[in-house]
Amino acid sequence: MPDAEDVRRIALSLPDTTEKIAWSMPTFRVAGKMFATLPEDETSLAVRCPKEERQELVLAEPGKFWIADHEAQFAWVRARLAAIEDEGELRDILADSWRQAAPTRLLDAYPELGLPAE
């Protein structure tokens, strides 16, 4: 089961990513744009997810994903670290979120990032 240190290590391995404390929690940003946070007691993470996809994701895996009330109007979803299968799945989740926040220059330079592992 991945933990907060795995989130930190994987997020910071993505190109042009930095960590910044905001709202008293670690946040991860690509080129200054936030793509992941480690909220509360660091047992979950919040990542970008298009609004049109996140309800389907939550319905498909309610033990893993949910939408926090205060994030309902934003394109974010939460994931329980204990429910994430392994580091590969965590990397896919973080890379997908990174891809949604990354500028075009990085997307062009790293076209393989954000694509699910095969």
Side-chain angles (χ1 to χ4, degrees), residues 16 30-31 33 98-111:
D16 204 13
V30 55
K33 194 169 181 182
W98 177 91
R99 189 171 183 75
Q100 292 174 58
T104 303
R105 68 177 170 79
L106 288 174
L107 295 175
D108 291 345
Y110 301 93

Side-chain angles (χ1 to χ4, degrees), residues 7-109:
V7 171
R8 181 171 281 109
R9 177 177 46 78
I10 293 169
L12 291 173
S13 76
L14 297 169
D16 204 13
T17 294
T18 58
E19 181 176 351
K20 179 180 179 181
I21 300 297
W23 307 287
S24 301
M25 72 178 116
T27 67
F28 300 92
R29 299 159 189 260
V30 55
K33 194 169 181 182
M34 192 165 45
F35 71 92
T37 68
L38 274 168
E40 289 92 35
D41 59 2
E42 299 187 351
T43 61
S44 68
L45 74 151
V47 292
R48 291 176 170 268
C49 183
K51 284 185 181 180
E52 60 275 6
E53 294 176 18
R54 68 183 182 169
Q55 192 62 39
E56 184 177 319
L57 186 65
V58 169
L59 289 172
E61 297 186 79
K64 186 179 296 183
F65 298 104
W66 84 99
I67 301 167
D69 290 341
H70 68 280
E71 294 169 346
Q73 71 272 27
F74 303 108
W76 287 80
V77 67
R78 298 276 183 107
R80 292 172 181 84
L81 290 176
I84 294 175
E85 292 177 26
D86 55 27
E87 282 192 25
E89 183 181 23
L90 177 61
R91 181 168 180 76
D92 288 347
I93 290 168
L94 286 167
D96 184 59
S97 187
W98 177 91
R99 189 171 183 75
Q100 292 174 58
T104 303
R105 68 177 170 79
L106 288 174
L107 295 175
D108 291 345

